[in-house]
Amino acid sequence: MVRGGAAYLFYGEEDFLKKEASEKIISSCLNSETRKLNYDVYSAKDNYADILTSLKSLPFLSDKRVILVRDVETFPEFRKKELLESLKKISNHLCIIFHTKKPVLSD
């Protein structure tokens, strides 16, 4: 089982492998009933405020909440820095997964 307070960065051109690795993590955190309530998927095209709200939300009827953020490389630089700052305060109930074509988050 995946511990809470975890962040994963999957990068590369092979979307199938990123999706497969993410699915293993998601399945270890959430069952089919709790997945509908505690799993959110975002991309850089989505409203950034929605991503931040999701990061702060508590799980519902579960111990864990999973957030998948795709296309991180397309975020503006200041958004990437905000994401890094939010990871420093990641809650124990949260598992966040980033997908990107190249490693773009750094500190």
Side-chain angles (χ1 to χ4, degrees), residues 76-99:
E77 205 56 41
F78 74 98
R79 293 289 189 217
K80 292 175 196 172
K81 288 180 182 180
E82 285 178 354
L83 277 173
L84 277 175
E85 281 302 310
S86 68
L87 290 179
K88 292 177 182 176
K89 301 176 246 175
I90 193 168
S91 299
N92 287 335
H93 67 269
L94 185 63
C95 177
I96 185 164
I97 304 167
F98 296 103
H99 283 190

Side-chain angles (χ1 to χ4, degrees), residues 51-104:
I51 297 171
L52 292 180
T53 299
S54 191
L55 287 171
K56 296 173 186 173
S57 298
L58 295 172
F60 186 70
L61 300 174
S62 176
D63 293 335
K64 304 258 187 280
R65 178 169 187 71
V66 179
I67 300 168
L68 172 61
V69 183
R70 294 184 177 133
D71 307 320
V72 179
E73 72 274 8
T74 61
F75 279 113
E77 205 56 41
F78 74 98
R79 293 289 189 217
K80 292 175 196 172
K81 288 180 182 180
E82 285 178 354
L83 277 173
L84 277 175
E85 281 302 310
S86 68
L87 290 179
K88 292 177 182 176
K89 301 176 246 175
I90 193 168
S91 299
N92 287 335
H93 67 269
L94 185 63
C95 177
I96 185 164
I97 304 167
F98 296 103
H99 283 190
T100 181
K101 298 286 183 199
K102 56 187 175 188
V104 293

